[in-house]
Amino acid sequence: MEGLSVADANLVMYLHPSKSRNVSQSILRELGSLLFKFNETFDGVLLAYDVNILDKQAKILSGVHPYFGLRLKANLLLFSPKPDMLLEGKVVKLSQESIHVIVLGFSSAIITAENIRGEFKYRTKDTEELFASKSHKRHVIKVGTMIRFLVKSFDEEILHIIGSLISAHTGSIRWLDRHLEEDSEFDRSSMKSRDREWLGDKTVDEGATPMSYDNHIKMSKKRRITE
Amino acid sequence: MGLELPKYPEMEEDQVFNFTDSEIVSHVKQALASVLSGDNNSYNQLVGVMHHSKHLAPDEVALLETTLKALAGAVSSIDITHHDSLLSAIFCMSMWNYGPHVADALAELIVSLAISNGKYLDLCLGMLVSNFTPPPYFLDKLKMPHGLERKGKVLSRVHAAFKKIADYVPLAPLRLLTIVLQGMPTIYHKDRAIVIYVENMLKLESGEIGELVGSTILMAVVDRLIELDVEIGWDAILQDDFSKGIFEMELEDVDDIEESAEPDVGEFRLSRKSLAGNSIAELLDNLLVLTFEHLESCEREGRLAKVFETLLQSFRVTVLSAYKSKFAQFVMFYACALDPENCGMRFATMLADLFVQDSQPQPTRMSAVSYLASYLSRAKFLAASSISSMLKGLVDWCLEYCEAHDADINPNAHRVFYSGCQAIMYVLCFRMKVFVDVPRLKSELLIPLEQVLKHKLNPLKVCLPSVVEEFLRQAKAASLFTVCKTFIFDGLLESELSRAFGGLERLDTFFPFDPCLLKKCDSFIRPMFVFWSMVKPAYDDAFDDDDDDDGSSDDDLVQDFVNENEDIMNDEFGKSFDEQGVDMDEFDYALKKMSITPKATSNYKFGGRFQEPARMPSRIRPSTSPESL
């Protein structure tokens, strides 16, 4: 899954003098308050951190309240989805109009009907709602399925993603992983760039599956390993 | 599924159409899309339907319901800029105005809207939060049965909607928390909306997203209680009559006060009457009762221990630091009463720990020990062993202090010490009997205490005279120890020295768990509260020998009463408060019927055969001579 990264950060944290009695707790608390919020400096949502104090001595700022600045070194796990990234999440709600997904357990994503490729048709089977592929019978998306989708936009305040299932390499992960392996034998040279404006009833031709550059690398790596 | 739509202008008058759900949804989508191209007709009709909310005919209700359902299916077509009139119409709707079907459809629409786009999440949550309180015209109807029913239905839908949104947008509870806290009505709102708002907040705490938002919400509720508490000035309830002692009278039943012609006596004439008209007091009363009921439900669900941790933290941060909180602390009292072994002890230990920590500021330490003293004296549910261990801790600390500070009397320099000594004496005034009966405690506790009291620092001279006087009287009667110097106080409540150690905040006269003056609150607290009248001071034994005929006839009276009400008495004894099936009013009436005189109560053994009934006729004066009776 794209969008996750680990970063090394050199931070300076300014603490109020009242926190001087228990500095490590205050540091953890401050960093904890940044969790699951989009941070401009980090350019991402902070998911986890590991922090060390570099210097036991801290510089005191002059001012009304003598805040003191601590130099820290932190390992940060960041989540920063950008448009055209592929993300993976679990389907929690499905209707004719939309598919609702939760990514990494905290970020909600929605894929509206206009952004679902024509290959998928909404069906109700035994009171269960699902999207089934017209061309591949086994390719089914329903509540609980893990799907891979493309990011269209990301709301940094609410951490809400608008996604799309237009591209061919989006859909149920289980099916994709199984079948992309088989497809890798086919024409890899016809690498078309992803076309987000694909609408309408175009069905995907198995023989000419356009693959992303990343997937291409992955596939070739896989083949190298298996050989 | 087919649906019958009433007339739309463009349809022919005589025809009746059946539409499928998806057809209606696409119709609505078209209407929404047409705005972008400039054609507002069908869109304006939609908005019109949403605005039409009062006095709806049945077909209009059906139309509204259909429209809402269709909109729920078409949320992806709603644009925040082009359709702002529709959105504002939706967000202004109140579920209180509609019947169940429309309310359901509205809730569904809000949920769909919230999860469809991050932009709408805050607005939708805000709309749901605004549905916590009914529209102004409905507030009066809340007390009536159909009002209550409507309330139950609306609130259950609102909270179910929160849960649904949280299921699909995991971070929604965080946003909800901010919105709920910001939306809290201030205490100056005339429409008393805060009571139902707090009811909703507590419902959130116990609800399915309670784990995520619960502790912050509880702390906000306690903050609000303190705000109200602070608004009630001490002058509203105090009347300056310092001529009598603290132990003279305790307000127990406002009815008695009104009936009797005798003038009120007693210092700090804690008058419930002067609070009667106070609307803020009434508000605080209602909120406290809500909190108590919430704590009861927490206890039933087995969550009390966890909730208590939050309450404890809230107490430390908010209540303890508020200047002489009047009633808000009873939340802690009630929580402790619900679980004496865990929560009850936890509270006491926290206070004791605060007291002994040198790093805490002086007022905090003195406040903490005042709370501890009042708590240990008044909590009926605390075991004698717990009280004795707490006392021992205090006495040990005081002794250590004495040994470390070889100094003369100085109220200003040793404020914490003097407040500690006063605390010990105050608790012993209430609980002396318990200690006198156990010889081991006598030696463990009272020998070090004697050393403390006889030290150069001279706490007996500095501490509040009324407390010292009462303590010495009881100590003498119980033959604990004798004091060589006599202390003449002339029944003074306070002295210059006590004022000195009390400081500006007058922490020498701070007894936070004195009887609660808020009526509804008090009815919850009473069964677990020790009134001074229930305490049989040691020196009353001395009067038993002076019984004359009056006394013996009283005895008979008492015996008859006891025989008649044996069952009730036995039920009372040892029963936990929430098992008490006894109707207090009935019991009280029986008591009054027998018109037991105050003197007779001294025959009841404290902690002996049976517990004294919680309600006693008032005006007990333990320190007076028999003639006055």
Side-chain angles (χ1 to χ4, degrees):
Chain A
M1 183 172 108
E2 297 163 31
L4 280 173
S5 58
V6 177
D8 273 326
N10 291 321
L11 305 171
V12 180
M13 184 177 282
Y14 294 102
L15 294 177
H16 188 270
S18 63
K19 312 270 191 270
S20 56
R21 201 149 21 110
N22 196 338
V23 171
S24 28
Q25 193 192 73
S26 315
I27 295 175
L28 291 175
R29 204 166 273 177
E30 279 283 331
L31 281 174
S33 70
L34 295 175
L35 283 173
F36 295 110
K37 291 196 180 86
F38 185 84
N39 192 301
E40 293 230 346
T41 331
F42 303 146
D43 190 30
V45 180
L46 182 64
L47 295 184
Y49 59 86
D50 186 24
V51 67
N52 285 310
I53 304 179
L54 278 180
D55 198 348
K56 279 273 165 83
Q57 292 191 319
K59 198 165 180 184
I60 300 181
L61 294 179
S62 55
V64 176
H65 302 287
Y67 277 69
F68 57 98
L70 284 162
R71 286 184 40 234
L72 310 166
K73 193 161 178 74
N75 238 356
L76 306 169
L77 180 62
L78 297 169
F79 178 60
S80 44
K82 297 272 183 287
D84 284 347
M85 276 190 181
L86 281 174
L87 292 183
E88 296 167 9
K90 189 176 193 181
V91 176
V92 289
K93 186 176 194 249
L94 206 145
S95 73
Q96 191 164 15
E97 308 295 324
S98 57
I99 298 178
H100 296 263
V101 183
I102 293 189
V103 177
L104 290 176
F106 74 91
S107 177
S108 52
I110 185 174
I111 306 166
T112 52
E114 302 90 65
N115 287 318
I116 302 175
R117 58 182 184 268
E119 175 192 342
F120 287 106
K121 275 282 176 264
Y122 172 77
R123 287 206 178 99
T124 319
K125 188 179 171 192
D126 303 328
T127 72
E128 197 183 15
E129 294 174 286
L130 50 89
F131 275 90
S133 163
K134 282 193 291 193
S135 32
H136 311 283
K137 256 204 226 159
R138 296 262 173 82
H139 195 170
V140 156
I141 299 177
K142 53 187 176 175
V143 173
T145 315
M146 293 292 291
I147 63 166
R148 188 176 291 144
F149 62 93
L150 208 71
V151 176
K152 277 186 84 174
S153 71
F154 178 59
D155 183 328
E156 288 162 3
E157 251 207 72
I158 314 276
L159 308 184
H160 188 95
I161 304 169
I162 299 193
S164 105
L165 283 174
I166 301 284
S167 323
H169 37 272
T170 55
S172 159
I173 295 177
R174 199 196 271 164
W175 187 90
L176 284 170
D177 284 347
R178 226 184 298 149
H179 290 260
L180 279 177
E181 262 181 49
E182 294 167 10
D183 288 349
S184 67
E185 312 227 322
F186 290 108
D187 195 355
R188 261 186 283 126
S189 59
S190 61
M191 244 170 34
K192 290 187 202 157
S193 58
R194 296 186 222 126
D195 187 353
R196 280 180 293 136
E197 304 318 302
W198 248 16
L199 286 166
D201 254 331
K202 266 195 181 165
T203 54
V204 178
D205 192 8
E206 267 195 50
T209 314
M211 289 202 288
S212 76
Y213 188 64
D214 287 339
N215 276 354
H216 174 78
I217 299 289
K218 275 191 220 153
M219 290 303 119
S220 52
K221 271 192 191 156
K222 255 190 187 164
R223 295 197 77 221
R224 252 182 267 135
I225 294 163
T226 53
E227 271 161 21
Chain B
M1 291 192 314
L3 210 67
E4 221 180 30
L5 264 186
K7 327 169 223 190
Y8 266 6
E10 55 242 9
M11 298 177 207
E12 306 215 351
E13 293 268 339
D14 299 329
Q15 273 182 304
V16 164
F17 289 85
N18 285 335
F19 292 91
T20 63
D21 280 351
S22 49
E23 281 174 346
I24 299 176
V25 170
S26 52
H27 173 87
V28 166
K29 276 188 177 175
Q30 263 178 357
L32 292 170
S34 63
V35 174
L36 295 161
S37 51
D39 174 21
N40 287 5
N41 273 338
S42 2
Y43 171 72
N44 286 339
Q45 272 173 21
L46 265 180
V47 180
V49 170
M50 308 301 292
H51 274 300
H52 189 39
S53 65
K54 299 260 169 77
H55 314 295
L56 294 173
D59 57 339
E60 289 166 325
V61 171
L63 178 59
L64 184 56
E65 186 188 339
T66 319
T67 317
L68 288 170
K69 284 193 174 147
L71 279 168
V75 282
S76 48
S77 314
I78 299 181
D79 180 78
I80 199 165
T81 30
H82 292 106
H83 303 128
D84 64 318
S85 55
L86 178 66
L87 286 169
S88 51
I90 296 174
F91 294 135
C92 287
M93 291 177 80
S94 170
M95 280 189 217
W96 295 84
N97 293 331
Y98 306 107
H101 297 291
V102 176
D104 271 336
L106 181 56
E108 202 192 307
L109 171 58
I110 294 289
V111 171
S112 305
L113 205 51
I115 64 183
S116 68
N117 197 318
K119 288 182 273 194
Y120 301 129
L121 182 66
D122 280 351
L123 292 166
C124 291
L125 291 175
M127 182 270 182
L128 286 169
V129 169
S130 69
N131 271 266
F132 278 177
T133 49
Y137 75 88
F138 204 92
L139 271 169
D140 303 315
K141 298 189 194 169
L142 269 182
K143 300 197 188 108
M144 298 193 275
H146 88 273
L148 281 173
E149 205 193 314
R150 176 65 62 93
K151 173 175 113 174
K153 291 204 175 123
V154 171
L155 295 188
S156 64
R157 280 183 177 82
V158 167
H159 288 268
F162 286 143
K163 173 76 174 91
K164 280 198 203 125
I165 296 178
D167 279 341
Y168 305 131
V169 183
L171 291 177
L174 263 180
R175 319 272 325 169
L176 177 61
L177 193 55
T178 330
I179 293 170
V180 166
L181 294 178
Q182 277 170 0
M184 265 185 104
T186 66
I187 58 180
Y188 303 106
H189 268 72
K190 292 243 166 66
D191 55 4
R192 305 281 161 250
I194 188 163
V195 179
I196 192 168
Y197 198 91
V198 168
E199 191 184 331
N200 273 285
M201 285 173 78
L202 293 173
K203 200 173 159 134
L204 265 178
E205 196 274 332
S206 56
E208 281 146 330
I209 57 175
E211 269 180 18
L212 302 165
V213 302
S215 46
T216 321
I217 280 185
L218 270 179
M219 295 186 75
V221 171
V222 175
D223 283 346
R224 195 53 107 231
L225 290 175
I226 281 287
E227 255 185 61
L228 282 166
D229 196 301
V230 159
E231 282 294 313
I232 304 173
W234 272 105
D235 42 317
I237 55 179
L238 283 188
Q239 288 171 31
D240 293 357
D241 190 357
F242 294 124
S243 55
K244 304 293 175 179
I246 297 174
F247 302 99
E248 287 260 347
M249 182 196 92
E250 264 174 10
L251 197 76
E252 293 178 56
D253 201 312
V254 72
D255 298 330
D256 279 11
I257 303 283
E258 283 161 8
E259 284 164 16
S260 89
E262 221 182 299
D264 284 356
V265 280
E267 60 85 30
F268 293 153
R269 213 178 319 162
L270 304 175
S271 166
R272 194 177 279 166
K273 272 196 289 190
S274 59
L275 263 187
N278 193 327
S279 56
I280 296 216
E282 195 189 316
L283 201 52
L284 182 58
D285 203 3
N286 289 330
L287 287 180
L288 278 170
V289 166
L290 264 180
T291 321
F292 290 166
E293 286 168 347
H294 180 79
L295 288 174
E296 278 173 14
S297 79
C298 287
E299 204 264 330
R300 277 194 295 270
E301 293 162 15
R303 301 191 295 128
L304 188 63
K306 212 162 150 251
V307 169
F308 192 76
E309 287 305 312
T310 313
L311 279 181
L312 209 58
Q313 196 191 357
S314 184
F315 177 84
R316 265 204 69 165
V317 169
T318 312
V319 181
L320 194 60
S321 53
Y323 173 66
K324 288 200 180 179
S325 160
K326 289 159 224 78
F327 311 117
Q329 62 270 21
F330 279 100
V331 173
M332 298 306 295
F333 192 90
Y334 199 72
C336 291
L338 288 170
D339 185 5
E341 285 113 38
N342 291 326
C343 302
M345 279 316 288
R346 189 96 178 70
F347 185 50
T349 4
M350 182 213 66
L351 291 169
D353 287 342
L354 270 179
F355 172 64
V356 304
Q357 268 178 32
D358 283 331
S359 52
Q360 294 290 336
Q362 266 189 2
T364 309
R365 297 173 76 183
M366 291 170 71
S367 225
V369 82
S370 306
Y371 272 100
L372 183 61
S374 199
Y375 174 64
L376 291 176
S377 317
R378 300 293 192 169
K380 205 167 171 183
F381 46 86
L382 280 178
S385 54
S386 322
I387 303 175
S388 63
S389 65
M390 290 275 101
L391 265 185
K392 184 147 173 19
L394 282 177
V395 171
D396 287 344
W397 184 90
C398 288
L399 188 59
E400 250 183 72
Y401 191 93
C402 285
E403 283 161 5
H405 294 82
D406 191 26
D408 274 330
I409 183 169
N410 188 340
N412 281 313
H414 307 286
R415 297 174 70 192
V416 181
F417 169 73
Y418 290 123
S419 57
C421 292
Q422 183 172 302
I424 299 169
M425 287 193 274
Y426 185 79
V427 176
L428 282 173
C429 288
F430 278 80
R431 308 285 195 178
M432 184 72 83
K433 252 315 191 154
V434 178
F435 295 96
V436 162
D437 288 340
V438 182
R440 176 182 62 88
L441 282 176
K442 239 180 160 168
S443 57
E444 259 183 27
L445 203 67
L446 298 167
I447 294 176
L449 181 59
E450 190 174 349
Q451 283 183 285
V452 169
L453 294 177
K454 294 191 175 164
H455 190 264
K456 270 200 284 182
L457 282 167
N458 212 337
L460 291 172
K461 205 165 172 198
V462 178
C463 293
L464 212 58
S466 47
V467 175
V468 176
E469 195 181 339
E470 180 62 33
F471 171 73
L472 288 177
R473 204 181 293 139
Q474 288 204 30
K476 187 168 172 204
S479 321
L480 293 183
F481 45 75
T482 47
V483 186
C484 17
K485 295 184 233 171
T486 45
F487 289 87
I488 304 165
F489 292 119
D490 293 330
L492 266 180
L493 165 66
E494 54 179 32
S495 67
E496 237 184 73
L497 290 167
S498 82
R499 268 195 292 269
F501 99 80
L504 277 175
E505 307 95 348
R506 296 311 309 280
L507 286 169
D508 55 324
T509 53
F510 182 38
F511 305 104
F513 290 113
D514 270 355
C516 184
L517 297 178
L518 299 174
K519 200 160 180 202
K520 287 186 217 170
C521 210
D522 187 46
S523 61
F524 277 80
I525 298 284
R526 258 176 200 264
M528 51 207 79
F529 195 80
V530 175
F531 287 96
W532 176 245
S533 56
M534 294 155 67
V535 175
K536 178 188 185 256
Y539 48 76
D540 263 4
D541 280 334
F543 293 131
D544 282 354
D545 304 329
D546 298 349
D547 273 5
D548 48 10
D549 282 19
D550 284 346
S552 54
S553 66
D554 279 345
D555 278 346
D556 290 342
L557 213 63
V558 167
Q559 204 50 44
D560 287 346
F561 171 82
V562 166
N563 290 339
E564 274 181 39
N565 295 293
E566 192 94 86
D567 290 348
I568 304 176
M569 297 277 203
N570 287 337
D571 283 349
E572 286 270 321
F573 178 58
K575 229 181 183 181
S576 67
F577 73 99
D578 57 0
E579 294 171 64
Q580 272 173 4
V582 176
D583 182 7
M584 294 307 290
D585 292 321
E586 199 183 72
F587 186 67
D588 197 38
Y589 170 69
L591 256 182
K592 283 190 182 150
K593 216 168 79 165
M594 302 304 294
S595 59
I596 295 176
T597 62
K599 166 105 201 293
T601 63
S602 66
N603 290 322
Y604 293 165
K605 288 205 181 300
F606 178 79
R609 267 186 309 133
F610 44 75
Q611 291 281 9
E612 298 199 9
R615 285 190 179 211
M616 292 296 299
S618 65
R619 231 63 52 78
I620 310 292
R621 297 219 186 97
S623 58
T624 53
S625 52
E627 293 95 85
S628 69
L629 298 167

